[in-house]
Amino acid sequence: MHEKKVFADHLAQRIADFNFDHFYSKRNRILLHLAMWFGFSCLLFLSYVLAYHLSYQNALILTIRMTTVNAVVFYLFFYVLLPKIFSGSGFRIIFFLLVTFPICIFIWIAITYFISILYHYIGFEIPSGELKGAIKMAADQTFAQAVSPKRLISQAFIVISILSPFFFVKILFEISRLYNKTLNIQNQKAALEIQNINIEKQFLTAQLNPHFLFNTLNNLYGLSLKKDDQTPEVILNLSDIMSYTLYESSNEKVSLEKELEFIKNYIELEKMRYTADKNIQYKIASGRDLFGHFVPPLLTFTFIENAFKYGLKNNDDSFLLLEIKVENNQLFFSLENDKDKEQTQKGFGGIGITNARKRLQLLYPDKHEIHIENLETKFRVSLKIDLY
């Protein structure tokens, strides 16, 4: 199943990368059509010679007739009738498609009849073989006899068998071209959305630095006055965070270990702003479970920042609980915090949560599950990401 999906993704990407507009120029379009009809004519000519034992001259004349008839019906259907049919509504499209089918058969038989009259007039005839006298027989009919309902039905299968290869190739080509345009539009849209999100991420990073500097330097100042033993550790945490936001956050992906280390440092610095009665707990994976895994930087930072921004407000029951673990190549993120009741009506997280959802959808389509619960007194985020 995985190999089939990889092949399908690869095929879709190859179709998306192919430049149909550049390839299908007016010159190339004419050459392709000429090549298609030339190939058909060669096969038809050989069929007349080998199957019906006609001379080269007779086979050539009949080939010209059949190629002309098929070409007229083909171009009439795809370039005259079909554009008008698809300009209508759904029911109208179905109705006219059904009507067009017998019309095409009628036109095919009518043109064949008139060409047979022309051949008979100039004295051309099949002198021997299975098709002996076929031109005279066709020309001796009246037009009403040639296009009678009985003949339309009897000739329908012949017309379908002859025209179906051309219709199949044309339809397949148009579907591929439409699919190519659809993929290109989706890719351009996704690229634009990712670009916008990256701009927002850069803006977030720019805001992050002064935020940490302002709060952490104040805390450092207080610790230094007390000559607290935590001062070197806080300075080291701040240094790691500044390094991450300056150098790592601009990368497309970072190692999961660095991302989680950044989160730990961030939480430790934020905890300094709160008193000991605030229930701030976190459990973050470490060790071998993180080896070989990479994630986009600041992927879950919006949720954690919002937890500190809007949470820890209740005097009686303030809490922030975070757990991040990796199992079976899947990342599990669980965050829960208290909040004011007013935040339920006002909304929680605003555009930051919306952008986080959008970023996950673009970066991990069909490879993540996220559940966000904005309850009366608490906010909960559960996220699962397939890392492979």
Side-chain angles (χ1 to χ4, degrees):
M1 183 65 69
H2 177 70
E3 291 179 354
K4 289 182 179 179
K5 188 177 185 306
V6 171
F7 175 76
D9 292 343
H10 176 71
L11 181 61
Q13 188 60 46
R14 291 296 296 272
I15 295 175
D17 292 340
F18 186 76
N19 191 337
F20 270 88
D21 293 332
H22 177 74
F23 170 76
Y24 204 51
S25 61
K26 183 177 180 180
R27 174 179 172 274
N28 289 347
R29 186 162 61 247
I30 293 173
L31 291 175
L32 285 171
H33 280 250
L34 289 174
M36 178 180 71
W37 292 115
F38 178 75
F40 169 75
S41 300
C42 290
L43 293 174
L44 190 60
F45 178 81
L46 291 173
S47 175
Y48 283 133
V49 171
L50 299 176
Y52 295 99
H53 307 289
L54 300 182
S55 65
Y56 291 153
Q57 179 183 356
N58 292 339
L60 178 62
I61 294 175
L62 288 182
T63 297
I64 292 172
R65 182 186 70 166
M66 190 62 67
T67 302
T68 302
V69 173
N70 288 324
V72 170
V73 174
F74 175 84
Y75 290 112
L76 179 66
F77 178 79
F78 279 105
Y79 293 92
V80 178
L81 298 177
L82 205 60
K84 293 182 179 180
I85 291 172
F86 279 100
S87 63
S89 59
F91 177 78
R92 186 171 178 268
I93 290 173
I94 297 173
F95 173 76
F96 280 105
L97 278 175
L98 295 174
V99 172
T100 301
F101 176 69
I103 289 175
C104 288
I105 297 176
F106 174 86
I107 293 171
W108 189 93
I109 294 176
I111 297 174
T112 304
Y113 171 71
F114 288 122
I115 294 177
S116 297
I117 291 177
L118 176 62
Y119 280 180
H120 182 66
Y121 177 77
I122 62 178
F124 172 73
E125 186 55 82
I126 309 296
S128 61
E130 295 181 29
L131 299 179
K132 181 181 179 179
I135 299 300
K136 184 179 184 303
M137 289 175 59
D140 286 344
Q141 298 178 102
T142 64
F143 181 72
Q145 290 174 331
V147 296
S148 64
K150 181 178 180 181
R151 185 163 174 78
L152 287 175
I153 295 172
S154 65
Q155 293 294 308
F157 296 103
I158 297 175
V159 176
I160 292 171
S161 63
I162 293 175
L163 285 175
S164 57
F166 303 104
F167 279 56
F168 175 77
V169 171
K170 176 66 175 176
I171 292 171
L172 181 62
F173 184 84
E174 292 300 329
I175 289 174
S176 299
R177 187 165 65 163
L178 180 62
Y179 186 50
N180 170 263
K181 288 184 178 181
T182 303
L183 287 177
N184 283 330
I185 292 172
Q186 290 177 347
N187 290 340
Q188 291 172 7
K189 182 180 178 181
L192 181 61
E193 290 180 346
I194 290 175
Q195 182 181 13
N196 291 337
I197 289 175
N198 284 335
I199 292 172
E200 293 163 359
K201 186 190 72 175
Q202 292 169 6
F203 178 72
L204 174 64
T205 304
Q207 286 184 314
L208 194 61
N209 294 333
H211 172 79
F212 274 118
L213 283 173
F214 179 78
N215 289 300
T216 308
L217 289 176
N218 278 337
N219 290 326
L220 275 173
Y221 178 72
L223 291 174
S224 63
L225 289 178
K226 295 187 295 183
K227 299 186 182 332
D228 196 299
D229 292 339
Q230 290 185 339
T231 303
E233 184 179 351
V234 173
I235 294 175
L236 183 61
N237 285 348
L238 178 61
S239 174
D240 289 340
I241 286 177
M242 295 301 295
S243 175
Y244 189 85
T245 55
L246 287 173
Y247 302 112
E248 301 292 344
S249 64
S250 60
N251 295 329
E252 184 177 348
K253 285 192 173 184
V254 297
S255 69
L256 182 58
E257 186 177 9
K258 287 185 177 181
E259 175 76 0
L260 298 187
E261 187 64 31
F262 162 78
I263 292 174
K264 290 178 186 177
N265 291 333
Y266 174 80
I267 294 174
E268 287 298 326
L269 288 178
E270 286 285 7
K271 284 176 67 175
M272 295 175 60
R273 298 168 48 199
Y274 298 93
T275 57
D277 63 318
K278 301 294 182 181
N279 183 17
I280 303 174
Q281 299 182 39
Y282 65 90
K283 183 179 180 182
I284 298 178
S286 60
R288 297 181 60 182
D289 290 339
L290 310 182
F291 182 75
H293 294 302
F294 294 85
V295 294
L298 305 176
L299 186 63
T300 59
F301 178 73
T302 297
F303 304 121
I304 299 171
E305 185 190 43
N306 281 343
F308 281 103
K309 182 178 180 180
Y310 298 104
L312 303 171
K313 302 296 184 184
N314 297 327
N315 294 326
D316 298 332
D317 185 23
S318 60
F319 65 92
L320 190 155
L321 308 175
L322 171 66
E323 182 178 9
I324 303 176
K325 62 182 180 179
V326 176
E327 293 179 355
N328 300 322
N329 296 322
Q330 291 181 318
L331 174 68
F332 295 89
F333 176 93
S334 176
L335 177 63
E336 188 175 328
N337 59 272
D338 69 290
K339 67 181 185 66
D340 289 335
K341 293 183 178 180
E342 295 181 2
Q343 287 296 334
T344 304
Q345 282 73 34
K346 293 181 180 179
F348 190 96
I351 193 172
I353 297 293
T354 302
N355 286 342
R357 282 182 176 273
K358 190 186 300 182
R359 191 177 179 211
L360 285 164
Q361 182 59 41
L362 291 170
L363 296 172
Y364 294 97
D366 303 321
K367 291 186 176 181
H368 81 282
E369 294 178 11
I370 184 169
H371 301 282
I372 298 178
E373 298 176 86
N374 190 5
L375 305 176
E376 185 177 6
T377 59
K378 62 183 177 181
F379 190 82
R380 183 185 298 129
V381 179
S382 298
L383 172 64
K384 182 180 75 171
I385 298 175
D386 294 334
L387 297 175
Y388 286 140

